[in-house]
Amino acid sequence: QVQLVESGGGLVQAGGSLRLSCATSGRIFSSYDMGWFRQAPGKEREFVAATTWSGGSTYYADSVKGRFTISRDNAKNTVYLQMNSLKPKDTSVYYCAARYRITSALTFGGMAAASGYNYWGQGTQVTVSS
């Protein structure tokens, strides 16, 4: 069983930065991939970034590449999303997710698909003002 809890959201002005944290509980090991997704009211859940638990591979949506960075601290069982140069369009609820993968190949499509993730946090609100 895996439980995920996001934190670090808040209200910032355009151009500012936030660092989101995803604290995990339960057994986390190398067979898990970690992802960040976001969902605004009335919109579909959108892929933001993902990483293997080892951190050897990272993936980003084109809309955030160069501005956001996903990282992890395995010793603390925590995954981070550093968000810089925030824009009003980044306003959303951000979710941390975990995917159990042992046989499927590591691909961008698989890492970016919300349907492939097995565990989800409750989300943390990020609001970027103009």
Side-chain angles (χ1 to χ4, degrees):
Q1 181 177 335
V2 176
Q3 185 173 356
L4 311 175
V5 180
E6 304 95 335
S7 63
L11 174 64
V12 297
Q13 295 182 355
S17 299
L18 282 174
R19 186 176 181 86
L20 305 183
S21 298
C22 175
T24 71
S25 62
R27 295 189 63 183
I28 299 293
F29 58 105
S30 61
S31 295
Y32 282 90
D33 302 320
M34 303 298 298
W36 286 97
F37 295 78
R38 64 188 183 187
Q39 187 169 22
K43 294 187 177 182
E44 297 180 354
R45 189 159 296 188
E46 175 188 14
F47 169 73
V48 177
T51 183
T52 57
W53 188 249
S54 68
S57 300
T58 57
Y59 303 86
Y60 297 93
D62 289 341
S63 60
V64 306
K65 194 170 186 178
R67 299 189 297 122
F68 292 8
T69 302
I70 187 170
S71 61
R72 78 277 171 258
D73 187 333
N74 292 359
K76 296 181 179 180
N77 296 318
T78 301
V79 180
Y80 305 96
L81 184 68
Q82 179 66 45
M83 304 185 295
N84 299 326
S85 302
L86 283 163
K87 305 174 181 179
K89 68 179 182 180
D90 295 319
T91 295
S92 188
V93 177
Y94 284 71
Y95 297 90
C96 179
R99 179 172 76 124
Y100 184 70
R101 178 180 57 81
I102 54 174
T103 60
S104 60
L106 180 63
T107 65
F108 178 87
M111 295 289 276
S115 61
Y117 285 76
N118 310 102
Y119 305 97
W120 294 86
Q122 291 296 106
T124 184
Q125 177 70 47
V126 172
T127 302
V128 184
S129 62
S130 301

